[in-house]
Amino acid sequence: MASERFILALDQGTTSSRAIVFDRAGRAVASAQKEFAQHFPRPGWVEHDPMDLWSSQSAVAAEALSKAGLSSEAIAGVGLTNQRETSLVWDRETGKPVYPAIVWQDRRTASFCERLRRDGVEPELARKTGLRLDPYFSGTKVRWILDEVDGARRRAEDGRLLFGTVDTWLLWQLTGRRIHATDATNASRTLLFNLETGDWDDGLLELFGIPRAMLPEIRSSSEVYGEVDGRLYPGGSPVAGIAGDQQAALFGQTCFEPGMAKNTYGTGCFLLLHTGGEAVASENNLLTTVAWRMKGKTEYALEGSVFIGGAVIQWLRDELGLVGSAPEVDRLAETVEDSGGFYLVPAFAGLGAPHWDPYARGAALGITRGTNRAHFCRAALEAIAFQSADLIACMEKDSGLPLKELRVDGGASRSRPLLQFQADLLGVPVVRPTITETTALGAAFLAGLAVGFWEDREEIRRIWKEDTRFEPARGEEAMEPLRAGWRRALERAGGWERPE
Ligand code: ADP
């Protein structure tokens, strides 16, 4: 009898590398996690050491296998998922990075973006890529490295340097420096990828001054890219799935049909709505992105994010000292019926989609003599839900797809009052699955499908199981006044900071 086999998911996040071994039932049988250093060389700059990313990731892979007591032969496939947009450039021969990885949060290219915006290129760029002209995406980061590192542009033009997002860097290392490739989801976050042609865009490469020779080959999100080098763990196993973290979570939540959406409630919130085989352009400041590419077919999603999600809970705890822990926020919030007309707008760093107001700042409104700690906690949770609901309203408008339910994960999805309010606000059920490690699970699913570990999406759909369902409990008449109050509070918080 053949012995049992498993899928290894590698999840390279912004602050830590994780590895999880999944069995055929989609259960996590072992996992390992390792944090790595964050570097902030100047205000607004964020870097990672590429060797830290790789060494922490390979270490946790070996550790997870060892915890599960598995040899490399027991691994049917490896799936990769990663912090998106973070950009690396390294030497093809020596493997040496020419500069640290520039992390997605890094703002050093803001003035370059501003210049391009003044040149009027944003509309065409948005049409081609589905993105916005913002330092967040990879294109301007790569350009910065080519401009600022001595000799880099010449070496890149000579074909001696390689560019990659984090998936590409890890794949190259895992395959013993043989495979230089990315998947379509990661490519779609670079500002260099044309959604219509599904390939790198020569016009955009020219705009950013990036030689084609340094770009990875764009492959699908579920196929065998190559084998793990024999000297590594799990040596000989096929690397068979790649997707950026948010897309992997969408897959892990089995949002396979147009109109299905997931929200990850972490420090910020990331919402993705599957829109099917057509890329839907947003008229409400959302992003259009590749959901995944499989068997030659590309599916798309609309994406929006909330800058301050669970972070508002941390703020109540760490800055205000109002509570000792996140669960205490939930307990207190549940002691009051509602926020008593009190609104908290956590626009600490401006507002993202659909408002895009960098000058908005946090505001607390509607305070009366009776406002207390519990109201603060409740309003904080409600603010996370309001911001998410605003994004969903835009997604529905852009796509014409009415949301049927919202699947949720991430640290703050542990909060019952948050999810209940979210359901009340959306008027559709909010559903939390049994496995909330949806990012790693999605990468495992993509790899497992490519190697026949799982048959098809139908089988995977059966693995995804509902844990808790929050049904909308309050009617529209109860919710509309609250929504109106939120809108008014948003108006007051907008444009607070004066530009220089
Ligand atoms: P990230 O991946 O962004 O680091 P996580 O998914 O680990 O984030 O989620 C962490 C966030 O979840 C924190 O901002 C924290 O405040 C919030 N959080 C954790 N537990 C709860 C809870 N029970 N209620 C509300 N928020 C919570």
Side-chain angles (χ1 to χ4, degrees):
M1 196 184 92
S3 51
E4 198 186 351
R5 304 194 81 200
F6 302 85
I7 298 284
L8 174 68
L10 303 181
D11 179 356
Q12 211 300 296
T14 308
T15 56
S16 72
S17 294
R18 309 204 303 143
I20 305 185
V21 179
F22 289 101
D23 68 8
R24 269 204 65 184
R27 282 184 301 244
V29 299
S31 68
Q33 178 163 9
K34 206 172 155 66
E35 288 193 9
F36 50 80
Q38 310 286 315
H39 301 282
F40 310 106
R42 291 190 202 178
W45 291 28
V46 188
E47 298 177 353
H48 291 153
D49 180 340
M51 297 324 284
D52 279 354
L53 300 181
W54 166 235
S55 62
S56 59
Q57 194 63 72
S58 55
V60 291
E63 188 186 336
L65 292 183
S66 146
K67 276 188 184 164
L70 298 174
S71 65
S72 291
E73 290 75 55
I75 300 302
V78 177
L80 264 179
T81 179
N82 57 288
Q83 51 164 317
R84 304 175 303 172
E85 297 102 9
T86 298
S87 305
L88 298 92
V89 177
W90 66 95
D91 187 292
R92 183 195 288 277
E93 292 304 320
T94 66
K96 243 183 93 163
V98 306
Y99 191 80
I102 302 186
V103 179
W104 57 272
Q105 297 147 326
D106 192 290
R107 307 299 296 174
R108 78 184 66 187
T109 58
S111 57
F112 177 65
C113 289
E114 197 46 54
R115 204 164 81 219
L116 285 184
R117 186 169 300 117
R118 279 200 302 271
D119 290 347
V121 302
E122 192 169 29
E124 191 200 353
L125 195 117
R127 186 179 52 73
K128 279 185 172 174
T129 66
L131 308 176
R132 301 165 57 83
L133 190 46
D134 192 278
Y136 178 43
F137 306 106
S138 314
T140 61
K141 299 182 196 290
V142 190
R143 182 201 151 91
W144 188 93
I145 294 176
L146 296 182
D147 279 351
E148 301 296 324
V149 176
D150 234 9
R153 183 170 300 280
R154 187 177 33 77
R155 286 162 70 198
E157 277 160 3
D158 291 347
R160 283 157 57 204
L161 298 186
L162 301 177
F163 155 69
T165 39
V166 171
D167 57 308
T168 303
W169 171 244
L170 295 179
L171 178 66
W172 193 74
Q173 296 288 2
L174 276 170
T175 56
R177 302 178 168 188
R178 280 194 297 272
I179 309 292
H180 182 231
T182 188
D183 92 299
T185 68
N186 278 291
S188 79
R189 313 296 297 184
T190 57
L191 277 181
L192 308 173
F193 178 86
N194 186 317
L195 283 176
E196 204 174 296
T197 63
D199 200 358
W200 303 122
D201 183 279
D202 286 323
L204 295 171
L205 293 178
E206 195 173 323
L207 179 70
F208 292 107
I210 296 170
R212 208 176 229 269
M214 73 187 305
L215 297 181
E217 182 190 353
I218 303 172
R219 311 264 292 260
S220 78
S221 315
S222 176
E223 64 175 77
V224 176
Y225 311 93
E227 281 181 1
V228 178
D229 187 86
R231 289 162 295 186
L232 302 168
Y233 288 106
S237 301
V239 185
I242 300 181
D245 52 11
Q246 299 310 323
Q247 284 89 341
L250 189 69
F251 203 82
Q253 288 276 23
T254 67
C255 293
F256 298 153
E257 316 288 324
M260 293 184 81
K262 71 93 195 170
N263 194 9
T264 301
Y265 297 87
T267 310
C269 302
F270 280 95
L271 253 158
L272 268 78
L273 171 81
H274 187 276
T275 59
E278 297 290 328
V280 173
S282 176
E283 288 176 5
N284 291 284
N285 287 325
L286 301 172
L287 306 177
T288 307
T289 197
V290 171
W292 43 75
R293 182 184 289 175
M294 293 173 82
K295 296 185 177 155
K297 192 172 168 287
T298 306
E299 291 165 59
Y300 301 87
L302 280 169
E303 172 174 326
S305 54
V306 170
F307 296 160
I308 305 294
V312 67
I313 304 302
Q314 292 166 303
W315 178 74
L316 291 183
R317 185 193 61 196
D318 303 338
E319 262 64 45
L320 295 193
L322 214 58
V323 289
S325 69
E328 198 186 340
V329 172
D330 300 339
R331 276 198 304 278
L332 275 169
E334 279 180 325
T335 63
V336 287
E337 279 286 278
D338 54 42
S339 70
F342 173 60
Y343 290 88
L344 193 61
V345 183
F348 303 152
L351 287 167
H355 322 285
W356 288 106
D357 178 358
Y359 304 112
R361 287 296 175 270
L365 292 135
I367 298 174
T368 64
R369 183 63 183 82
T371 304
N372 63 30
R373 223 149 62 99
H375 295 118
F376 248 86
C377 293
R378 188 153 192 106
L381 293 172
E382 292 185 356
I384 302 174
F386 276 126
Q387 295 180 89
S388 300
D390 287 348
L391 288 176
I392 287 172
C394 295
M395 290 180 168
E396 289 184 317
K397 250 188 270 168
D398 278 336
S399 67
L401 296 163
L403 187 74
K404 287 196 268 309
E405 67 175 30
L406 181 67
R407 297 189 168 183
V408 300
D409 50 57
S413 75
R414 281 193 287 264
S415 170
R416 297 184 63 93
L418 166 62
L419 298 188
Q420 184 56 54
F421 189 75
Q422 189 76 79
D424 292 342
L425 205 50
L426 295 173
V428 300
V430 168
V431 184
R432 191 171 55 196
T434 48
I435 305 169
T436 49
E437 295 290 356
T438 53
T439 307
L441 183 63
F445 282 162
L446 288 166
L449 284 172
V451 296
F453 184 79
W454 289 295
E455 196 65 37
D456 52 21
R457 289 191 194 182
E458 212 28 69
E459 185 180 358
I460 281 174
R461 225 193 291 267
R462 287 194 298 271
I463 293 174
W464 183 94
K465 288 204 175 56
E466 181 174 314
D467 176 63
T468 319
R469 171 175 288 255
F470 298 83
E471 294 285 351
R474 288 195 270 174
E476 196 43 38
E477 357 27 281
M479 300 314 289
E480 186 44 40
L482 300 182
R483 248 184 247 122
W486 169 250
R487 279 195 297 269
R488 287 202 301 144
L490 273 182
E491 273 167 35
R492 300 289 168 103
W496 179 260
E497 187 82 2
R498 301 272 153 143
E500 294 289 303

